Amino acid sequence: MIPVLAIDGPSGSGKGAVGMAVAERLGWHYLDSGAVYRALGLAAGWQGIACDDEAKLRDLAAGLDLRFVAADGGEPAVFANGRECGALLRSPETANAASRLAALGSVREALLDRQRAARSAPGLVADGRDMGSYVFPDAFLKVFLTASAEVRAQRRYDQLKAKGFGVTLSQLIQEIRERDERDARRAVAPLKPAEDAVVLDSSALGLQEVIDRVLAMAKSRQ
Ligand code: C5P
């Protein structure tokens, strides 16, 4: 069986940066499942589909032509139905749209196979909310990264500022709290650690320290 290392956690926990770095070190593939939900949110917006129109969203999800095109040394370019998502993929508005449609069971179901299809040799690092608990329950290592809402908001603030978005810290703390609550409370695949996940609080840890800890755990289990 092709090994999967699942990294889940809330927004700003650092799971994206950690997941990408760990995948690179291991020479494995990397699945950014949040980008799948975000791209669907954007594509829905382009087609004028509301974030609570479950039937239309499910059909859009089932037929979505989603492509990740590797870019030199940075995040891949993401295309949804042939249109480039660009910087909008990471905007707070897109994050909110993603979080709203991610609460719909049939939409999640429609995205399941394409996430599982990312499992390919020699291995996969899967980053998201339900990678260890639902999408890849047989992952050999499940890490659940957390950090306080303030620390996560500060990280998101730094990232979004660097990308040119006009945001304020207090607005981000508020949005992160709202999104956490929606993600944790939803009936399907709520944000919570898998029973066999290792919970790692990164509030007081630097990025490299978290990467090293995850790599050490992966090594000790292989
Ligand atoms: O991780 P990221 O911030 O890109 O995810 C955006 C939103 O997509 C999350 O707030 C969450 O609602 C949803 N999501 C999800 N399940 C995943 C990945 C993301 O519900 N596996």
Side-chain angles (χ1 to χ4, degrees):
M1 205 45 162
I2 296 166
V4 175
L5 193 166
I7 301 194
D8 290 299
S11 170
S13 58
K15 64 191 170 53
V18 172
M20 258 188 288
V22 168
E24 200 178 321
R25 280 284 293 278
L26 296 172
W28 288 6
H29 300 279
Y30 170 66
L31 169 67
D32 176 359
S33 64
V36 175
Y37 285 91
R38 286 169 181 263
L40 182 65
L42 266 183
W46 293 334
Q47 299 199 14
I49 300 174
C51 288
D52 56 359
D53 187 338
E54 183 157 4
K56 281 198 180 141
L57 287 167
R58 184 200 50 220
D59 291 349
L60 183 67
L64 191 70
D65 169 23
L66 190 62
R67 267 173 298 143
F68 291 83
V69 180
D72 274 349
E75 288 181 0
V78 181
F79 292 82
N81 287 341
R83 185 163 162 186
E84 185 165 7
C85 298
L88 275 181
L89 191 72
R90 301 291 161 197
S91 76
E93 292 76 21
T94 303
N96 274 320
S99 156
R100 290 180 58 197
L101 58 84
L104 307 172
S106 66
V107 174
R108 300 193 73 84
E109 217 46 43
L111 294 175
L112 199 55
D113 285 349
R114 77 174 68 228
Q115 293 175 79
R116 289 190 173 148
R119 184 175 202 158
S120 54
L124 177 71
V125 176
D127 149 5
R129 301 288 195 287
D130 60 346
M131 298 295 100
S133 59
Y134 190 63
V135 182
F136 301 107
D138 63 339
F140 80 102
L141 172 61
K142 302 175 183 179
V143 178
F144 192 88
L145 271 187
T146 60
S148 69
E150 289 73 17
V151 167
R152 290 187 288 118
Q154 183 69 53
R155 289 179 185 159
R156 292 290 293 143
Y157 179 80
D158 295 342
Q159 284 166 359
L160 290 170
K161 274 278 170 193
K163 288 184 177 174
F165 290 106
V167 284
T168 66
L169 191 56
S170 57
Q171 173 200 343
L172 278 178
I173 293 180
Q174 172 77 9
E175 278 179 13
I176 278 196
R177 288 214 168 105
E178 280 171 17
R179 196 140 65 93
D180 281 358
E181 175 139 331
R182 190 161 50 223
D183 289 347
R185 280 216 187 162
R186 67 185 175 215
V188 274
L191 174 66
K192 66 163 196 255
E195 270 174 24
D196 48 350
V198 179
V199 179
L200 187 54
D201 188 327
S202 72
S203 302
L205 299 177
L207 178 60
Q208 194 55 50
E209 216 170 335
V210 181
I211 294 167
D212 290 344
R213 286 196 192 194
V214 174
L215 282 168
M217 284 190 265
K219 216 170 173 183
S220 74
R221 288 183 186 218
Q222 271 184 316

